[in-house]
Amino acid sequence: MSVAPTAADASTSDEISYAELALAARNHAMPLEALRDDVTPAGLHYLLIHFDVPHLDATSHRLEVDGHVERPLALDLDALRALPSVTAPVTLECAGNGRAKLAPRPVSQPWLDGAVGNAEWTGTPLRGVLEQAGVRDGAVEVVLTGADRGIQGGVEHDYQRSLPLDEALRDEVLLVWAMNGAPLLPQHGFPLRAIVPGWYGMTHVKWLTRLTVLTEPFDGYQQAVAYQFQVSDDDPGRPVTRMRVRALMVPPGIPEFMSRERTVRPGAHDLRGRAWSGHGAIERVEVSADGGRTWSEAALEPPPAPHAWQAWSWTWDVREPGAYELCCRATDATGATQPLEPDWNVHGVENNAVQRVGVEVVPEA
Ligand SMILES: Nc1nc2c(c(=O)[nH]1)N[C@H]1C(S)=C(S)[C@@H](COP(=O)(O)O)O[C@H]1N2
Ligand SMILES: [Mo]
């Protein structure tokens, strides 16, 4: 029986359940202080694993290419590594980033802000492999299959996502075997994963075993049931694809261990962060020190690569002790900007509401 999550599953209480804790303990966020790094160290990159990390052997691993192709293939890693290789920094963000801030809270991985990372990936364009197999006329999509299998919403399935053929043939879509110059870690998809720049994380299939060319749209669970933006249970929804525009800051000062509340001293503070969008470069980042009532423009660096986050900075000169709320918001090349309030939806995806960081300005003890 296929049981889609419904609005009725949303938690009306603030309390995180044991099941949500179990997910959050397996799937960690990037600590926001790691926004200082141009390239996220592998161990600080966020993680999202629906089922179990499969135990794979690089020597016997094969990528099969089948479906509507002239020549089905089974490529080992040496064959893939012999193809032209590309290294690119790419920002990945989980579509559920910010889910735990929705009220009522959709029950799934309860992310706050940090389900993001910007690693450097090395691999070969997916396009070259599809050309080697020879995509036949009439093909519309490519399904990417992972080696992991599990049950979600009552449906047993391999982790699979599809891409429209024109997306799959973009030169920047990669089959990668290295992250930050080292072999992929088991949790990030060893020995082979997909990188689909600009798209939310769910499309970057890890532990890749198979590419299947289809003549009909794919209707697997992770495609047709999960990752739909639905405003109510009756809303048929639309598929989640590219990342919405977003900026995040490194929380300034020092944290309190349990509450994570920030303490800073009076003076000039160099606020820093990153911004990205799956719809084009960032045009503007603004910062507010009064909870979003007034905004100032931050200094913004150009993108280091087409799909890597952009650095921004702003000096916060604060003299008066007291409580402040810092916010940041980005605007991308399409003119899209971040809302002050989240856009609630059944699955808790695409929440790009502005980040809010509560800070207490306290004179030197
Ligand atoms: N095979 C497989 N690929 C997967 C997943 C998964 O559970 N299984 N999770 C997806 C989701 S939802 C996200 S957000 C990204 C996370 O990639 P990372 O863990 O390397 O950051 O992987 C995607 N690829
Ligand atoms: Mo995700």
Side-chain angles (χ1 to χ4, degrees):
M1 254 307 285
S2 160
V3 185
T6 64
D9 294 333
S11 172
T12 48
S13 119
D14 276 333
E15 313 254 321
I16 295 283
S17 67
Y18 189 89
E20 288 170 295
L21 167 64
L23 275 178
R26 287 182 59 84
N27 297 304
H28 65 74
M30 181 191 73
L32 294 182
E33 56 273 31
L35 288 163
R36 285 202 190 88
D37 297 310
D38 291 332
V39 173
T40 311
L44 295 182
H45 196 280
Y46 85 98
L47 267 187
L48 196 292
I49 298 155
H50 285 73
F51 306 130
D52 292 345
V53 175
H55 190 85
L56 300 176
D57 169 31
T59 318
S60 59
H61 195 78
R62 295 289 180 277
L63 174 69
E64 305 204 50
V65 186
D66 61 13
H68 201 61
V69 294
E70 306 287 349
R71 294 166 294 278
L73 306 172
L75 302 171
D76 62 16
L77 284 188
D78 286 341
L80 289 165
R81 282 199 209 95
L83 298 172
S85 89
V86 179
T87 296
V90 176
T91 300
L92 255 70
E93 182 186 15
C94 182
N97 198 16
R99 175 180 291 127
K101 298 188 168 185
L102 299 178
R105 188 177 68 256
V107 176
S108 182
Q109 166 74 20
W111 292 123
L112 296 170
D113 298 303
V116 64
N118 184 72
E120 236 166 32
W121 305 94
T122 300
T124 193
L126 168 62
R127 175 185 194 127
V129 170
L130 291 175
E131 281 171 358
Q132 205 176 315
V135 173
R136 291 169 55 195
D137 285 351
V140 296
E141 286 193 358
V142 181
V143 178
L144 294 81
T145 301
D148 49 332
R149 187 175 178 81
I151 303 168
Q152 196 179 333
V155 181
E156 183 176 328
H157 58 279
D158 294 331
Y159 188 90
Q160 291 181 304
R161 288 277 311 175
S162 74
L163 276 172
L165 191 60
D166 57 339
E167 283 288 332
L169 292 175
R170 277 163 60 212
D171 284 329
E172 12 182 53
V173 176
L174 302 177
L175 303 174
V176 308
W177 49 82
M179 179 185 191
N180 298 348
L184 291 175
L185 293 170
Q187 62 271 39
H188 288 296
F190 178 87
L192 189 70
R193 79 174 299 175
I195 290 292
V196 186
W199 284 54
Y200 277 118
M202 71 281 160
T203 302
H204 304 237
V205 176
K206 304 192 269 193
W207 313 296
L208 196 61
T209 58
R210 189 180 294 271
L211 303 173
T212 307
V213 177
L214 297 189
T215 54
E216 296 290 336
F218 178 59
D219 66 354
Y221 185 88
Q222 300 293 343
Q223 194 73 30
V225 182
Y227 301 109
Q228 295 293 316
F229 189 97
Q230 285 169 262
V231 295
S232 70
D233 293 343
D234 316 322
D235 175 10
R238 54 141 182 98
V240 173
T241 60
R242 291 173 176 274
M243 298 181 290
R244 289 196 193 186
V245 60
R246 192 188 196 99
L248 288 175
M249 75 180 92
V250 177
I254 54 170
E256 200 278 325
F257 174 58
M258 281 307 296
S259 67
R260 307 306 298 174
E261 274 159 19
R262 314 297 303 185
T263 293
V264 308
R265 303 299 173 211
H269 298 275
D270 186 26
L271 286 186
R272 289 186 173 272
R274 307 279 169 173
W276 65 92
S277 164
H279 298 274
I282 298 300
E283 302 256 285
R284 182 162 76 245
V285 172
E286 298 158 289
V287 181
S288 170
D290 57 12
R293 279 186 294 279
T294 61
W295 296 88
S296 308
E297 189 147 343
L300 176 65
E301 303 276 328
H307 295 283
W309 62 22
Q310 289 171 241
W312 59 264
S313 60
W314 184 71
T315 304
W316 181 36
D317 197 357
V318 60
R319 304 285 151 180
E320 277 301 303
Y324 293 81
E325 190 177 55
L326 297 172
C327 306
C328 56
R329 76 173 173 207
T331 301
D332 70 17
T334 69
T337 191
Q338 297 179 244
L340 289 172
E341 297 303 328
D343 210 359
W344 193 92
N345 62 93
V346 175
H347 297 268
V349 288
E350 300 190 5
N351 177 10
N352 68 336
V354 297
Q355 178 192 14
R356 294 172 182 276
V357 179
V359 178
E360 195 68 33
V361 176
V362 181
E364 208 73 55

